[in-house]
């Protein structure tokens, strides 16, 4: 993805500040190109996933992560963004459901990768339970950031997997200008 900062360096060789600065440059470059286009773009999972996840795993402090997200949001304002925040109230159930669906190979990959990170090592996270705890803490961060953002946004709890209902909600919010959706109690 043109926004996601790809790095080949091990955890210890990538300071969080370097990742945040490089990722912010990617966003600004993307916005410059997107403002010249007539197309509407969907940037799937890149505000609270991808680079932010990497910053979290690198054990960046909250101020750095908050600053990074706010810098990105400032950069994308000319694109008139709508943030759609999919989440599930029960993080443990969500992770265990995905683990059951994707199997042991997926769990092993996730655990080996994410729990070798500076964040996980500092917190002593191990195994599937450690991965669940990591995501509980990450969810607290993204909930905080979501609440702080002053852009058009909608939060959708999607544990029921009623995708046609969620799509209809998104379609509705896209049809109304900012302020109308809040009055309709869609957020």
């Amino acid at each position: 993805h043109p926004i996601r900062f790809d790095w080949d360096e091990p955890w210890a060789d990538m300071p969080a500040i370097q990742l945040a600065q490089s990722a912010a440059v990617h966003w600004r470059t993307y916005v410059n190109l997107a403002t010249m286009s007539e197309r509407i773009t969907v940037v799937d999972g890149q505000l609270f996933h991808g680079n932010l996840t990497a910053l979290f795993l690198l054990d960046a402090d909250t101020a750095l992560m908050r600053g990074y997200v706010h810098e990105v949001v400032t950069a994308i304002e000319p694109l008139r963004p709508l943030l759609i925040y999919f989440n599930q109230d029960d993080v443990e159930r969500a992770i265990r459901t995905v683990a059951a669906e994707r199997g042991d190979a997926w769990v092993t990959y996730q655990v080996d990768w994410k729990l070798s990170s500076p964040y996980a090592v500092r917190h002593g996270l191990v195994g599937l339970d450690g991965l669940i705890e990591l995501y509980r803490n990450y969810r607290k961060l993204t909930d905080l950031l979501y609440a702080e953002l002053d852009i058009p946004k909608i939060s959708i709890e999607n544990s029921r997997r009623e995708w046609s209902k969620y799509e209809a909600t998104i379609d509705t919010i896209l049809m109304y200008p900012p302020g109308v959706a809040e009055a309709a109690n869609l957020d």
Side-chain angles (χ1 to χ4, degrees):
H1 195 281
I3 296 168
R4 190 164 182 162
F5 181 80
D6 294 318
W7 84 89
D8 297 324
E9 300 175 52
W11 298 115
D13 294 338
M14 176 60 79
I17 187 76
Q18 179 185 347
L19 175 62
Q21 291 169 344
S22 297
V25 168
H26 282 247
W27 277 97
R28 287 191 296 275
T29 301
Y30 170 77
V31 169
N32 288 337
L33 294 171
T35 55
M36 293 185 273
S37 174
E38 296 282 327
R39 293 182 175 175
I40 295 173
T41 57
V42 176
V43 181
D44 182 18
Q46 293 305 304
L47 184 62
F48 288 164
H49 189 57
N51 299 324
L52 183 64
T53 303
L55 289 171
F56 182 80
L57 294 173
L58 285 167
D59 209 14
D61 64 33
T62 303
L64 175 66
M65 292 185 285
R66 178 182 275 137
Y68 164 73
V69 168
H70 286 277
E71 184 175 355
V72 168
V73 168
T74 298
I76 65 174
E77 281 178 352
L79 301 177
R80 298 185 348 221
L82 168 66
L83 173 60
I84 302 169
Y85 181 47
F86 288 112
N87 60 77
Q88 294 189 14
D89 290 337
D90 188 337
V91 173
E92 179 174 359
R93 188 174 86 215
I95 297 291
R96 290 191 187 282
T97 297
V98 172
E101 291 172 351
R102 296 187 182 177
D104 291 339
W106 179 84
V107 171
T108 299
Y109 171 76
Q110 294 295 317
V111 165
D112 289 351
W113 167 43
K114 291 178 179 158
L115 300 190
S116 67
S117 70
Y119 177 88
V121 170
R122 182 170 70 87
H123 290 277
L125 304 178
V126 295
L128 182 57
D129 289 337
L131 187 67
I132 291 166
E133 185 63 23
L134 181 138
Y135 273 105
R136 280 187 184 127
N137 294 332
Y138 189 69
R139 172 69 191 279
K140 289 176 189 174
L141 171 68
T142 59
D143 283 353
L144 170 75
L145 294 171
Y146 176 85
E148 290 179 358
L149 294 177
D150 188 24
I151 60 173
K153 61 187 176 181
I154 183 171
S155 178
I156 298 175
E157 202 287 340
N158 66 351
S159 60
R160 291 186 170 174
R161 299 179 178 203
E162 296 172 337
W163 295 107
S164 60
K165 177 182 174 183
Y166 310 144
E167 289 168 4
T169 300
I170 293 165
D171 288 346
T172 300
I173 199 166
L174 289 172
M175 292 186 326
Y176 294 102
V180 175
E182 291 85 0
N185 198 25
L186 294 174
D187 187 25

